[in-house]
Amino acid sequence: MGGYLGLVGAATVVGVARGARLPERFSWSDTLLVSVATHKMTRLLNKSAVTSPLRAPFTRFEGSAGEGEVLESVPSTGNHRHAVGELLTCPFCSGVWLATSLTAGLVLAPRPTRLLTTTMAAVAGSDFLHLAYDAAKSAAAQAGE
């Protein structure tokens, strides 16, 4: 919790120093974009096989979870390594951090943040299309049997 408050505090200090002003409200499109990007970024950080080397010092590999994802557990050591492991394996936990960072990015650096969120939202859309395509192929194969 201290780290999270530090992140928010640092973003606030940077924003004040740069003269950034909070918008009166965020658009629905920005909120949707940050939501979808946060979803995709948490899956990449917490579940993707590609990022498992980043989690390896804090987790134990349990097996494949399908579709390029892995199942990992956090050893119950009760120290900082355990806390970091929890953050790196729980999409609900890391989602708060990532959504806060992206939202701060919309205030402090909107153009690069929109580029990042648009990219991640497109990847999330692509993932869902891949899953839908595979499901349609499976359904067609079962119907043909």
Side-chain angles (χ1 to χ4, degrees):
M1 287 177 43
Y4 180 79
L5 291 175
L7 170 70
V8 171
T12 302
V13 168
V14 169
V16 168
R18 291 181 56 197
R21 300 192 64 191
L22 290 175
E24 284 193 35
R25 69 183 66 108
F26 286 98
S27 69
W28 282 104
S29 60
D30 279 339
T31 303
L32 180 62
L33 202 55
V34 167
S35 299
V36 175
T38 298
H39 166 76
K40 183 57 195 172
M41 290 172 76
T42 59
R43 299 307 294 185
L44 280 172
L45 177 66
N46 302 139
K47 303 293 181 186
S48 177
V50 161
T51 55
S52 64
L54 300 175
R55 296 185 303 274
F58 310 99
T59 62
R60 184 179 316 119
F61 178 77
E62 299 289 336
S64 174
E67 308 301 337
E69 293 190 345
V70 296
L71 179 62
E72 296 167 323
S73 63
V74 180
S76 56
T77 57
N79 58 21
H80 287 48
R81 206 170 139 218
H82 176 80
V84 172
E86 288 290 344
L87 185 62
L88 292 177
T89 59
C90 173
F92 298 98
C93 304
S94 64
V96 173
W97 289 73
L98 289 167
T100 299
S101 299
L102 293 173
T103 303
L106 284 176
V107 174
L108 301 174
R111 292 179 70 177
T113 302
R114 282 194 183 93
L115 176 64
L116 174 63
T117 55
T118 299
T119 301
M120 290 294 105
V123 173
S126 174
D127 288 351
F128 283 108
L129 290 171
H130 286 300
L131 294 171
Y133 180 82
D134 287 345
K137 277 183 18 180
S138 292
Q142 287 179 354
E145 292 178 356

